[in-house]
Amino acid sequence: MNDASDFATRAAAFWRERGGRMTPVREVLCRAIVSSEKAFVAEELLERARKLDRGISCASVYRALSDLVDAGLLREIRGERDQRSFVAAGLPQAPVGHVVCSDCRRVIPLEDECVPLREAAMLKRMGFAAGGMHLRIEASCESMKRCGTCENQAASTGTE
C-alpha cells in the first residue's frame, strides 16, 4: 500500500470510529497532506488542496487538521508567532523532529537517523518502549548573534 492510500485508510478509520465518513473533500485533503515534503500551515494546505478541488473551504481544512492531529496522523508544531504548522506522522519523508528558531520562529526539519535510535535506547534504560517520537527543539540562531540576521529565515523549509 502506498503512503497516500495508507494515510487515507487510517484517516477514514478514525472518522468512521467517530461516526463520520471519508468525504471527497477529506480524501483530497489527505492526498494534499501526503504530497507535502515539509511542515505546512493550514493556508498552504488549502492552496494545495484547491489545486485538486476548487470548492474546498478554509473551515474544512481546519476541521480536518484538528481531527487528524487527534487521530495521531499529523503532528502539530508551534512556530513563528505561535503559528501552527503540521507534518504527517509516521510517513517515510516525515522528519524525526523540528528546530524552532527562537529568533525568527521558523520551523526547520531535523533529519537525523540516529535520533530515534538514541532516544529509544534512553527510553529502554528508563523502562519505557517508544510508541512514537517527535523531537521539538527551540534554539537561538548563531548567525543572528554574529551578523544580526537569521540565516534560517532564508534557508527554512518550514513555514514561509
Side-chain angles (χ1 to χ4, degrees), residues 4 16 25 34-35 39 49 66 68 70 77 83 87 93 102 110-111 121 123 128 132 139 144 147 149 155:
R16 232 182 351 268
V25 167
V34 172
S35 72
S66 178
L68 294 170
D70 289 347
I77 306 146
Q83 184 175 42
V87 64
Q93 77 266 27
S102 58
L110 177 63
E111 296 168 353
L123 288 170
F128 293 94
M144 179 69 87
C147 311
T149 60

Side-chain angles (χ1 to χ4, degrees), residues 95-114:
V96 296
H98 287 83
V99 176
V100 178
C101 180
S102 58
D103 297 309
C104 72
R105 305 301 296 165
R106 294 290 182 190
V107 177
I108 301 116
L110 177 63
E111 296 168 353
D112 181 345
E113 64 273 357
C114 294

Side-chain angles (χ1 to χ4, degrees), residues 115-138:
V115 170
L117 298 173
R118 268 192 315 267
E119 303 307 321
M122 177 190 65
L123 288 170
K124 187 174 182 175
R125 284 192 308 272
M126 295 173 66
F128 293 94
M133 187 180 316
H134 186 81
L135 182 61
R136 181 183 190 272
I137 300 171
E138 289 220 14

Side-chain angles (χ1 to χ4, degrees), residues 136-154:
R136 181 183 190 272
I137 300 171
E138 289 220 14
S140 180
C141 179
E142 291 297 319
S143 72
M144 179 69 87
K145 290 178 187 169
R146 266 192 335 271
C147 311
T149 60
C150 180
E151 292 173 356
N152 293 315
Q153 283 184 312

Side-chain angles (χ1 to χ4, degrees), residues 33-46:
I33 287 167
V34 172
S35 72
S36 181
E37 295 180 11
K38 62 178 187 168
F40 58 87
V41 296
E43 292 78 14
E44 290 169 330
L45 178 60
L46 177 62

Side-chain angles (χ1 to χ4, degrees), residues 7-9 11-16 19-32 49 53 55-57 59-61 63-64 67-68:
F7 186 90
T9 299
F14 174 79
W15 280 310
R16 232 182 351 268
R21 63 185 181 88
M22 176 61 88
T23 65
V25 167
R26 287 174 171 171
E27 199 169 315
V28 167
L29 290 171
C30 287
R31 283 199 325 253
D53 180 344
I56 292 178
S57 72
S60 294
V61 169
R63 280 192 303 268
D67 286 349
L68 294 170

